[in-house]
Amino acid sequence: MSDGSTPLTRRSVEPVVFRVLTLAFTIFIVAYVLIPIVVTLVMSFNEAAQIRFPIKVWSLGWYGDFIASPQWTDALKNSFIIAVGTAVISTTAGILAAWAFERYDFAFKNVLYILIMMPLFMPGVVLGLGVAIAFGGLEIGGVSIYGSRGLVMVAHSLWAMPLVFMLMEATFRTIDNRVVEAANDLGAPPVRTFFEVVIPMVSTGVISSVLFAFVISLNEFVMALFLTDRDTQTLPVLMWLSLRSAGTPRLAVASVILALTVFACLSLIMLWYIRQLRKVSR
Amino acid sequence: MTIAALDLQNVRRTYGRVVAVDNVSLTVAKGEFVTLLGPSGSGKTSTLRLVGGFDQLNGGSIRINGERIDHLPAYQRDTATIFQSGALFPHKTVAENVAFGLRMRKVDASETADRVKQYLGIVRLSGFADRFPAQLSGGQKQRVALARSLAVRPAILLFDEPLSALDLSLRLQLRAEIKNLHDQLQFSAIYVTHDQGEAMAMSSRVAVMRNGAIEQIDTPENIFHQPINEFVYTFIGESCCLAVRLGPQPTDGAGGRIDLSLQGDHAPGDARLYIRPSRLRFGPDAADLPNRLKARVEFVEFLGDMNRYHLRAAGLELFADHAGAAVHRAGDVVDVGWQSQDMRVFR
């Protein structure tokens, strides 16, 4: 007999109702997140001309159609170029700003902080329209910047840069200031110290910033709708326009491509993070 | 006259109304090992940071090898700091850490490789060149930090409590190693610590600091035997303080009668008598001594190779160390005696 000698584990103390609720909640979240993606994925293999169940014939036909269509591949190309540009702009600006806020004191620091963070809380419609009205009429070297990819990159950076800034500010706060001082002490000027000592210490944050900014730009729709023209429209914009004309499984194909790219980015962040953890703890 | 490795004249640093470093003047000769010793907040680390260039002074001057450097940023000063945490570059190997300062000073590659090898040998880490800091123990990290600073052969080495994060046995071991290295290499150094044992064991001279100012600077022997004031006396080594009122009938200051006899003339009035606990004698040993006090044993602490007796005489509390077996027990009234040269009187 083991009366009273059973160890009190957390599991045995927790009321059953908690466990049931936890399970139910988990199932709900997983289903809620996964079902739309899975349905889209399945639909992309439908040979029919309409997005409709049931699927009678399975095929990769719409994938071939997507790749063969210059309109769709161009949109995909635009999305990638704009996302890469956004990642470069917002990572550079965000990291430098975060370092400045972490290390130096300067005038109007609080005001600048609010200015940097504000766009993050602005509706995309407001930002898109604002940028279009404010800068749409500008010309550089006789070429109107309205509709250019550059303008979209800058607009997307309004969202991506504050996120990078927040992420990097938190990351910079974790580094041991003595290590930075040690680099100075051994003869490294500030810029050299930043690139040779500080950046390697925050590489996980930098990689995450680049990929987050990339994903934000790739996913963004409203600002791109306001700021692109026929030649520069991104994949989400084209998808929305084509949904209005014809809901073919080509849309599902485009969704799958977008979703897979985002998953790939998230996986990269995870892999890098694990790599860094291994490096520190080995 | 030879030029000092480091020369501080009236160095001052204030933060608002707080004076962190109060007109400190200090000279470190070439090859000298000077310790700044003091409690936390005494300004010793602030002084070190001013020398290293991590903070700006408000007044005074700092010279290294005769040249004024207090306007230069840290990376242009010929100093090298060993930090408490080691502060190694986590993503660089041990060899890369040691080579860093040499690369910044544009020492050529073959010379750099030689020096990395040489100094890793000196700190006995030759086989660790390709390890990363995360793979090292605390003591090994501190040795790498030492090699990294020594390798650039700075005009002066700055130690910022480098051993305080280590456990006791490691601390004693590294303390001896640093002393050996100093004997071998004859580098000039400032060593900041709050551990008086470290200060006494390693230093050519010790500067005892309080409230941002140097109270006394002298050799460890002189600091110990001829402390300039009560603060220095109490900060160096253990001591018992007897706050008494002297006169025909000495009391404990609050009026309690004590049976105290002192050699020589002592002006009546309040005084604080200090005696090192290791110099107190008891019972028969105390009988012939010129200074005596009757006290009751409160309790006895066993400290391994000696016993520490906690004693009380009226309102006075003192303790005395005695080697050998416990000869008295709690409740015993004993005679405690000491030589006049073992007592310091402050009023």
Side-chain angles (χ1 to χ4, degrees):
Chain A
M1 286 300 290
S2 62
D3 265 335
S5 66
T6 318
L8 272 178
T9 60
R10 191 162 165 256
R11 183 169 287 268
S12 67
V13 176
E14 258 173 24
V16 177
V17 63
F18 276 12
R19 269 187 279 159
V20 171
L21 281 177
T22 308
L23 187 68
F25 187 69
T26 309
I27 290 171
F28 171 74
I29 288 294
V30 169
Y32 188 69
V33 172
L34 284 184
I35 284 175
I37 297 171
V38 170
V39 168
T40 313
L41 183 69
V42 169
M43 196 53 72
S44 73
F45 298 110
N46 189 356
E47 204 193 47
Q50 297 276 304
I51 294 183
R52 190 173 293 162
F53 278 108
I55 296 169
K56 286 177 184 129
V57 185
W58 297 81
S59 91
L60 287 170
W62 285 108
Y63 282 87
D65 175 82
F66 183 95
I67 293 162
S69 157
Q71 193 191 15
W72 286 86
T73 52
D74 279 354
L76 184 64
K77 200 176 83 189
N78 284 332
S79 271
F80 266 86
I81 291 172
I82 289 169
V84 169
T86 303
V88 170
I89 293 170
S90 52
T91 311
T92 311
I95 289 176
L96 293 180
W99 184 241
F101 270 77
E102 175 59 23
R103 290 284 294 187
Y104 303 101
D105 267 323
F106 43 86
F108 303 114
K109 201 167 171 176
N110 292 336
V111 177
L112 275 172
Y113 189 93
I114 293 168
L115 276 179
I116 289 174
M117 298 307 293
M118 212 155 58
L120 198 54
F121 304 99
M122 287 281 166
V125 188
V126 175
L127 286 179
L129 197 64
V131 171
I133 294 169
F135 303 113
L138 279 183
E139 290 187 2
I140 294 174
V143 184
S144 167
I145 63 166
Y146 182 78
S148 70
R149 296 190 192 105
L151 192 65
V152 187
M153 291 176 196
V154 173
H156 282 179
S157 296
L158 285 173
W159 270 353
M161 189 270 199
L163 278 173
V164 172
F165 176 77
M166 267 197 327
L167 182 72
M168 290 310 294
E169 225 204 353
T171 310
F172 282 138
R173 231 173 277 146
T174 64
I175 67 174
D176 180 0
N177 196 34
R178 301 283 146 142
V179 178
V180 181
E181 285 182 347
N184 284 327
D185 187 53
L186 290 163
V191 174
R192 191 118 190 231
T193 302
F194 182 72
F195 285 108
E196 263 208 51
V197 173
V198 177
I199 290 296
M201 279 198 285
V202 295
S203 58
T204 305
V206 174
I207 298 289
S208 307
S209 296
V210 169
L211 294 174
F212 273 135
F214 183 86
V215 167
I216 284 168
S217 172
L218 204 63
N219 293 348
E220 205 286 330
F221 163 64
V222 178
M223 285 195 265
L225 183 66
F226 276 79
L227 296 170
T228 51
D229 58 24
R230 263 193 82 80
D231 294 329
T232 58
Q233 66 195 4
T234 60
L235 199 54
V237 172
L238 180 60
M239 284 166 72
W240 185 74
L241 293 174
S242 95
L243 178 66
R244 286 164 48 113
S245 51
T248 62
R250 199 195 278 128
L251 275 170
V253 170
S255 299
V256 169
I257 288 172
L258 268 180
L260 284 181
T261 313
V262 172
F263 275 130
C265 288
L266 292 179
S267 308
L268 276 177
I269 294 176
M270 289 293 285
L271 283 176
W272 187 273
Y273 186 69
I274 292 166
R275 201 192 86 123
Q276 287 302 109
L277 274 187
R278 286 235 180 91
K279 203 170 175 180
V280 170
S281 61
R282 82 180 143 192
Chain B
M1 198 193 112
T2 53
I3 296 165
L6 177 71
D7 182 33
L8 271 61
Q9 289 299 325
N10 299 317
V11 168
R12 197 174 163 78
R13 177 66 171 119
T14 54
Y15 299 99
R17 293 175 65 185
V18 179
V19 182
V21 180
D22 190 2
N23 289 324
V24 165
S25 295
L26 174 72
T27 306
V28 180
K30 288 209 171 87
E32 208 182 9
F33 195 109
V34 175
T35 297
L36 302 184
L37 174 67
S40 57
S42 61
K44 52 195 193 314
T45 295
S46 301
T47 307
L48 195 81
R49 291 178 64 78
L50 290 172
V51 176
F54 307 119
D55 199 0
Q56 293 297 307
L57 36 73
N58 298 117
S61 65
I62 301 175
R63 286 185 172 79
I64 287 180
N65 288 335
E67 275 179 49
R68 194 151 174 187
I69 50 103
D70 45 69
H71 58 286
L72 295 176
Y75 59 90
Q76 287 175 357
R77 297 186 186 194
D78 196 10
T79 59
T81 309
I82 293 106
F83 295 92
Q84 185 182 326
S85 57
L88 299 179
F89 307 126
H91 56 282
K92 291 184 190 291
T93 63
V94 166
E96 284 165 356
N97 264 280
V98 177
F100 187 83
L102 300 169
R103 271 176 48 227
M104 295 304 140
R105 281 164 164 78
K106 302 203 165 53
V107 175
D108 71 59
S110 68
E111 161 97 24
T112 300
D114 287 348
R115 277 213 231 169
V116 168
K117 225 173 147 186
Q118 180 196 347
Y119 284 97
L120 281 182
I122 285 177
V123 298
R124 302 191 289 116
L125 285 176
S126 295
F128 292 74
D130 296 326
R131 302 263 186 112
F132 282 90
Q135 297 166 280
L136 302 178
S137 70
Q140 288 168 337
K141 280 184 199 163
Q142 257 342 355
R143 290 218 204 99
V144 175
L146 193 58
R148 183 176 70 175
S149 295
L150 283 169
V152 299
R153 296 178 185 158
I156 186 145
L157 271 172
L158 308 174
F159 291 86
D160 188 7
E161 309 211 24
L163 307 183
S164 60
L166 306 175
D167 61 44
L168 182 65
S169 62
L170 203 53
R171 207 152 66 210
L172 295 178
Q173 187 194 334
L174 268 176
R175 174 170 114 183
E177 274 182 41
I178 293 175
K179 184 169 171 56
N180 268 333
L181 281 178
H182 180 251
D183 290 346
Q184 273 176 51
L185 305 172
Q186 289 296 311
F187 50 78
S188 318
I190 288 194
Y191 190 101
V192 162
T193 183
H194 60 266
D195 180 328
Q196 44 121 348
E198 267 173 36
M200 301 305 243
M202 305 166 95
S203 320
S204 323
R205 284 191 298 154
V206 177
V208 182
M209 293 190 72
R210 176 170 62 159
N211 297 337
I214 294 179
E215 295 275 313
Q216 184 175 10
I217 175 161
D218 212 327
T219 60
E221 293 80 9
N222 286 349
I223 294 267
F224 188 80
H225 293 299
Q226 293 155 34
I228 201 169
N229 59 27
E230 194 173 351
F231 174 77
V232 175
Y233 183 92
T234 54
F235 198 74
I236 307 286
E238 284 184 308
S239 55
C240 300
C241 174
L242 307 176
V244 296
R245 177 165 294 150
L246 297 175
Q249 290 197 335
T251 67
D252 62 3
R257 277 289 311 272
I258 51 173
D259 189 352
L260 172 74
S261 59
L262 295 176
Q263 186 185 39
D265 288 334
H266 292 278
D270 287 335
R272 288 177 303 285
L273 315 179
Y274 287 93
I275 310 124
R276 304 281 183 205
S278 59
R279 303 296 175 96
L280 288 171
R281 300 282 173 266
F282 298 100
D285 295 347
D288 302 332
L289 293 171
N291 305 287
R292 282 192 308 282
L293 173 69
K294 259 201 198 329
R296 201 180 71 247
V297 177
E298 295 272 284
F299 60 97
V300 185
E301 273 181 308
F302 176 61
L303 298 182
D305 49 0
M306 61 184 178
N307 288 297
R308 171 162 291 184
Y309 293 86
H310 290 259
L311 307 159
R312 173 179 280 273
L316 302 179
E317 285 177 2
L318 63 159
F319 55 95
D321 292 340
H322 194 273
V327 288
H328 297 291
R329 278 185 299 174
D332 291 359
V333 174
V334 295
D335 267 326
V336 184
W338 61 92
Q339 297 285 357
S340 292
Q341 69 262 27
D342 292 331
M343 176 180 69
R344 300 274 307 190
V345 181
F346 295 103
R347 284 169 188 273

